Structure formats: C-alpha cells, structure tokens
Amino acid sequence: MHNGQRPGRRTVLGAAALGAGAAVLGGAGQASARGSDGAGHRLPVPLVIGHRGACGYRPEHTFGSYQLALDLGADVIEQDLVPTKDGHLVCRHENDITATTDVADHPEFAGRKTTKTVDGKKLTGWFTEDFTLAELKTLRAKERIPDVRQHNTLYNGRWEVPTFEEVLEWAEREGRRRGRRIWLYIETKHPTYFRKLGMGIEEPLAKLLRRYGRDKGGSPNFLQSFEPSSLQRLGRLGLRCPKILLLDQPSVRPWDFVESGDPRTTADLLKPEGLAWTAGFAQGIGPWLPQIIAQDADGKLGEPTTLVRDAHAAGLVVHPYTLRNENSFLPLDFRVGTDPAAYGNSLGALKAYFATGIDGLFSDNADTALLAAEEFRKR
C-alpha cells in the first residue's frame, strides 16, 4: 500500500464502510456507517463482488452462478438488468441473448433474429425486448465463452433466465437462512437506449426495491450504471442506497453523453474535477482495472495511477472491474504457461490491485479474490 493513499482510504472507509443496513448517505457523495443489521453483519474492506455471480464456474446470471458465489463467500452478488417486451426486468449482461441462451436452438423464435444498433454498435441476434417473460422462460442459459471456460458448458441448459424479482426473493430466503441481509450490486444496462424505446429501467427497478424494502440509505444493495443520468434518475426516484458510476475506457463517452451532446469522455471523468462532479450524485466509482494500475506496451503491470487517491479525496469508494483467473484475462507478467484458458497467477495480480488501496473488486472467481483480500483485511 502506498503511504500517500492510506489517509484517504481510511477516511473514506471509516465514513463509508457500507455496512448491511447501516450506511446513511449524506451530501456530496459521502456516507456514514452507523451500526449494522440485526445480526451485526458489516461489509468488510476490501470487499469482493461476485461478478455476474460466480461466472468463472457456472454460466453467468443464473441461480447456479449466484448461489455458488454466495456459498464461496462473495460479499456482494452482481445483477445486470434488461427489460422484456412486457415490462419485466431480467438478469442478463446484455439484451442480446444470442451467446448466453439456447435461443438459436428454438425454431419458433427463428423469425425474431434481427439486427439492431445498441449504443452505437450494430448487433445481429435475439434481444430481450422482443420477448415476453413467458417466452424467455422457455429458454435455458449457456456458457458465454465456451472456448475459455469449456468446463462451464457442463451446465448448459440447466437454468432459466432469472427475473430480478426472483433474485430479490432468493436474497430474502438466503438472508433468513444465514441470519443477515444479502447484498446485491445492481446495474442498469443501456438505460438511454431502453428509455427511447419507452422501456425505461429505472422506474420498475425503483418499484421493486421499494416493495422489498431495499430503497433506503442503509439498504443492502449498490446501484451501478455506465450512464450518469441513470444514477441521477434513480436518486430522483427516491432511492437512497449507494450508487456507483462505472467508467469505461478513457476515450469512451457515456452513451447518455453522446445522446445529450455532452463532449466529456471517461478521461474527463477520471480527473479530479470529474470525480468531484460524480460525487454530487454517486458514492463511488467502478473503473476499468488498467485505470488503477497502468499497463505498459507489452501488457505488463506498471505503476499505480493516482485514481484511488483522487477518488478517495472526492469522498468516493473505488470498486474496479474485473479480475478473472484465466491467463487470457491477466496482465502479461501474471500469466503462467501458454494456454489462454489455463489459470495464471491471479492471486499475485489481485494482491497488486488490493495494495493500491481499492475498496473492493469485481471477480469471476470469488474464492480466489477472497484469499487475496483476507491479507489486506487484517491490516
């Protein structure tokens, strides 16, 4: 850990250790922890976020993936939300379900294959907004990257596409069983795109969170989006739980900025003035891992950037994405052997990132990330 980052990190986390049922949001992105839930459970620092569940071991965004992530010890479980034709929110990383379901094997849906432009990208496939929930429930999930995770294909066809309400019900059951609230990390996907279709995500999300008592400042969930206006809208809808602005590669403009004519890029939002602006409506940022530690021209880790220190100075927690165990996803100096699907030295990479003072991290392999995080939780 760099000495220059320690005061900022501890100041932020002393005030923003977002304990289950305990975080009380204040102004300018600040949060203060007061007590805990009835079981005395608090989120540890740094925390481990089960990215799409435990998708290093099970097809993503399925109950098999969510349950395994929880059983492996993930502190928070992530969901990505997209709507159906009839207004339900379902958990898929993208509205294009071609790679994550068996929809192509259903002849009755062959005519639904189409080409769309989503956030400026032309895609051909099948999309959730063209299916009712009942139709989606006839599909089964499959592994998104079978060339890297062939072992996950064992579970192809095992699980349905879950609705977000089903996830909330699951979290309630698991919470009662474990004697503590289950933390969720909820992303609005392509919110401007869907709003233009008349299928806004924020309103049904807010309704569900209120129904399940997860709309308060101390509620056990984070809300995340790559679009600042989506987080701002969620705030206006009365949701007081912590909000995290996701940050893409530096040259990318958030899609709501593109639509509104805002010229700023991610690089602008990474600057101290951009972080100060973000702190006006969010409590943290979710940057891309190379924004925490830059990589050199060969793809090896270089020196940490000032982002963690700058974000903490603005009162923001930092939860970067995504650490995976396989060689193909690791910095070059942490790869082992030549097989891109084999595991590399992910523990070493995790420790390098945790040493920068980040407050948490998204991982496809929660058990591995927890092994590394434990060393830093003891300090």
Side-chain angles (χ1 to χ4, degrees):
M1 181 181 297
H2 294 269
N3 289 336
Q5 293 169 341
R6 185 177 292 117
R9 179 170 183 260
R10 290 307 172 198
T11 298
V12 170
L13 293 173
L18 301 164
V24 181
L25 303 187
Q30 298 298 310
S32 60
R34 299 178 183 175
S36 60
D37 67 4
H41 180 74
R42 294 168 66 102
L43 285 178
V45 177
L47 59 84
V48 171
I49 304 152
H51 185 236
R52 311 178 197 173
C55 64
Y57 309 113
R58 301 287 188 273
E60 64 188 39
H61 289 311
T62 61
F63 277 115
S65 186
Y66 295 153
Q67 185 67 51
L68 183 58
L70 191 61
D71 292 343
L72 290 174
D75 303 301
V76 191
I77 314 296
E78 186 197 32
Q79 295 78 44
D80 296 314
L81 303 186
V82 292
T84 66
K85 183 178 182 179
D86 49 347
H88 295 274
L89 295 180
V90 294
C91 300
R92 292 286 87 190
H93 180 247
E94 293 292 341
N95 53 325
D96 181 357
I97 55 173
T98 309
T100 62
T101 72
D102 62 357
V103 63
D105 298 330
H106 286 251
E108 67 273 25
F109 298 134
R112 305 279 179 94
K113 189 175 185 179
T114 186
T115 298
K116 299 189 178 193
T117 300
V118 181
D119 293 1
K121 297 178 182 178
K122 185 170 287 189
L123 303 169
T124 298
W126 288 264
F127 299 83
T128 59
E129 63 267 28
D130 297 330
F131 290 77
T132 66
L133 178 60
E135 290 171 332
L136 278 181
K137 284 295 187 180
T138 67
L139 308 180
R140 292 297 179 269
K142 68 177 185 179
E143 173 55 36
R144 180 175 59 88
I145 47 173
D147 52 331
V148 177
R149 293 175 173 165
Q150 193 279 332
H151 55 281
N152 282 9
T153 64
L154 172 65
Y155 304 100
N156 285 355
R158 176 64 181 81
W159 292 290
E160 298 179 350
V161 173
T163 69
F164 182 55
E165 184 162 18
E166 288 169 342
V167 171
L168 291 171
E169 292 170 348
W170 166 80
E172 290 296 306
R173 290 194 303 272
E174 286 294 323
R176 289 191 295 270
R177 186 167 73 89
R178 296 166 186 260
R180 62 176 177 84
R181 303 298 298 277
I182 304 302
W183 275 76
L184 306 177
Y185 214 120
I186 307 154
E187 181 178 350
T188 58
K189 300 293 296 190
H190 309 299
T192 295
Y193 166 83
F194 284 117
R195 183 159 296 283
K196 290 182 72 174
L197 293 178
M199 305 172 76
I201 298 174
E202 294 86 358
E203 288 79 7
L205 172 56
K207 183 177 180 180
L208 281 171
L209 291 179
R210 283 193 291 269
R211 182 182 303 167
Y212 284 83
R214 286 176 168 262
D215 58 319
K216 311 296 191 299
S219 296
N221 35 255
F222 295 90
L223 302 174
Q224 58 175 334
S225 184
F226 279 99
E227 297 187 22
S229 62
S230 184
L231 296 180
Q232 292 166 336
R233 182 179 294 274
L234 290 169
R236 290 194 298 271
L237 288 169
L239 299 184
R240 298 292 172 245
C241 32
K243 301 173 185 67
I244 307 294
L245 179 63
L246 299 171
L247 298 169
D248 211 319
Q249 298 184 38
S251 62
V252 174
R253 293 165 66 195
W255 191 251
D256 54 344
F257 283 15
V258 174
E259 292 280 353
S260 68
D262 190 322
R264 289 178 295 171
T265 65
T266 298
D268 296 307
L269 298 179
L270 291 168
K271 296 175 182 177
E273 54 268 35
L275 294 169
W277 176 79
T278 298
F281 59 88
Q283 287 66 52
I285 57 171
W288 193 40
L289 279 173
Q291 292 159 357
I292 302 297
I293 304 178
Q295 296 184 15
D296 64 20
D298 295 325
K300 296 181 179 179
L301 284 190
E303 292 296 317
T305 70
T306 64
L307 180 58
V308 175
R309 182 184 66 207
D310 294 343
H312 286 169
L316 298 167
V317 295
V318 182
H319 296 162
Y321 64 91
T322 301
L323 206 293
R324 301 172 169 98
N325 281 0
E326 294 89 356
N327 278 323
S328 57
F329 301 116
L330 291 171
L332 186 64
D333 42 336
F334 291 93
R335 296 179 187 178
V336 178
T338 59
D339 182 355
Y343 279 8
N345 182 17
S346 54
L347 274 172
L350 283 158
K351 291 175 184 179
Y353 288 115
F354 283 132
T356 65
I358 59 174
D359 308 303
L361 179 142
F362 286 82
S363 175
D364 288 6
N365 310 85
D367 52 342
T368 309
L370 283 164
L371 281 175
E374 284 297 333
E375 290 191 25
F376 295 85
R377 292 176 182 180
K378 293 173 184 175
R379 295 182 181 180

